[in-house]
Amino acid sequence: MPRLPLLLLLLLPLLAAPDAPAPTHAERLGYPPDAKLLLLHADDIGVAHSVNAATFDAFATGRVRSGSVMVPCAWFPEAAAYARAHPDHDLGLHLTLTSEWKHYRWGPVLGAAAAPSLVDSLGFLHATPGAAAAAMHPAAAAPELRAQVERALAFGLHPTHLDSHMGTLFQTPDLFAAYVRVGRDYGLPVFVPREALAAQAPQLLAMLSDDELLVDRLVMAPDGVDPADFDAFYTRAIQTLQPGVTELIVHLAYDDAEMQAVTVDHPAYGATWRQRDFDFFTSPAFDSLRAAHDVHLVTYRELAAARAR
């Protein structure tokens, strides 16, 4: 049999399968290509001791495995101490450019004087994403985001990913570009729900390569869900989960005096809301629901490692 030239031998695998699709996230993690992967993600770590305590207790159950920390908030040092004690946990940064509660407020890590367009007349971060985006100088966001990452690193918290508190960094192309740039500079995945952005802001989605997109879709209980319907809302979300990676954002805390004071006059995502989230997602019933619908829990740490491989 005649010998094939060396170059042809090297090219044969490419010639044999020119249209082979890239492996899915599920396949990279060892699951079937149509597996349903759930990234159950706890937001707002660091806002209050009550949030921290409930989230750390949820992590201890093994049911909630991912979350993100708000660096400008008062209870950030406690969250950082937990991160140092649990370096294998999946903790990201909830990049924060808003301060929404009535009496409990915070300012930028850089300080109000260094970032005047980031703050309101009282020196706190603006209360809503719309107000923040309208007032913020386009060049002011990135330095504050970097300051939050650097502060986390200085406290020994090595984040696995970045996301955006209240979605502020999705408000304008300039803010989104700053978000993506900071993620790339620090080598961190950024939370971007592929399907939602494709439908609502495709110009933002175009700023990222397919390789950078780890999350297919987002589920979060919206403002206005009746308290009596919480369990039904989450049950339906698990029952109807689609193949791919779904991030389900929860807000965990105990319904105690501290959290009631933090969230006064704010029933949406308030103390009782957060207690309901905690109760549902730390229950054996959640385990049974996942098992019945063949849903697998994953983390940003696992997704990023699989992507790198």
Side-chain angles (χ1 to χ4, degrees):
M1 178 178 178
R3 297 178 62 185
L4 293 174
L6 178 60
L7 179 60
L8 183 56
L9 286 172
L10 294 174
L11 290 175
L12 278 176
L14 299 177
L15 296 173
D19 298 318
T24 65
H25 293 308
E27 289 174 303
R28 288 170 173 167
L29 290 170
Y31 296 108
D34 59 348
K36 293 175 283 188
L37 307 183
L38 181 63
L39 211 168
L40 183 56
H41 193 274
D43 272 7
D44 297 351
I45 303 169
V47 162
H49 173 67
S50 179
V51 172
N52 291 352
T55 305
F56 303 158
D57 287 347
F59 272 124
T61 70
R63 299 181 176 105
V64 179
R65 300 180 183 178
S66 186
S68 56
V69 178
M70 297 174 68
V71 174
C73 296
W75 283 88
F76 163 71
E78 181 182 56
Y82 178 86
R84 293 194 301 273
H86 300 84
D88 59 329
H89 279 29
D90 191 50
L91 290 170
L93 299 185
H94 205 39
L95 296 172
T96 302
L97 295 176
T98 50
S99 173
E100 69 271 29
W101 305 113
K102 182 176 181 179
H103 299 309
Y104 170 44
R105 307 290 306 281
W106 50 81
V109 167
L110 289 175
S117 72
L118 299 186
V119 300
D120 61 18
S121 60
L122 299 176
F124 300 117
L125 291 169
H126 297 284
T128 68
M136 198 179 309
H137 189 281
E144 173 61 21
L145 302 182
R146 294 178 192 281
Q148 292 181 21
V149 177
E150 290 295 334
R151 184 168 173 80
L153 294 172
F155 272 73
L157 192 166
H158 296 279
T160 56
H161 61 284
L162 304 175
D163 59 28
S164 173
H165 182 51
M166 301 181 77
T168 305
L169 293 168
F170 293 83
Q171 292 291 307
T172 70
D174 284 339
L175 287 174
F176 188 75
Y179 174 46
V180 171
R181 186 164 59 250
V182 170
R184 287 172 178 166
D185 287 349
Y186 285 93
L188 297 172
V190 296
F191 162 66
V192 176
R194 182 199 306 263
E195 291 183 3
L197 231 59
Q200 300 169 19
Q203 73 279 14
L204 301 186
L205 192 63
M207 296 183 189
L208 288 165
S209 68
D210 285 345
D211 189 53
E212 293 177 288
L213 294 165
L214 299 184
V215 174
D216 296 305
R217 64 194 64 86
L218 165 68
V219 174
M220 188 173 76
D223 184 357
V225 174
D226 189 290
D229 294 336
F230 256 66
D231 284 9
F233 174 87
Y234 287 130
T235 298
R236 284 194 300 271
I238 302 301
Q239 290 173 337
T240 60
L241 210 67
Q242 300 299 304
V245 180
T246 300
E247 179 162 333
L248 198 164
I249 295 177
V250 295
H251 300 83
L252 307 179
Y254 292 119
D255 187 6
D256 56 19
E258 180 198 27
M259 208 62 209
Q260 291 165 16
V262 168
T263 62
V264 65
D265 296 340
H266 207 302
Y269 310 106
T272 55
W273 178 301
R274 291 166 187 260
Q275 181 74 59
R276 288 189 210 103
D277 273 6
F278 177 85
D279 291 343
F280 184 90
F281 287 103
T282 59
S283 69
F286 173 56
D287 295 337
S288 300
L289 186 62
R290 283 197 303 109
H293 295 278
D294 199 23
V295 173
H296 308 277
L297 293 176
V298 295
T299 66
Y300 273 102
R301 184 185 294 279
E302 292 168 336
L303 290 168
R307 180 189 67 180
R309 289 196 298 270

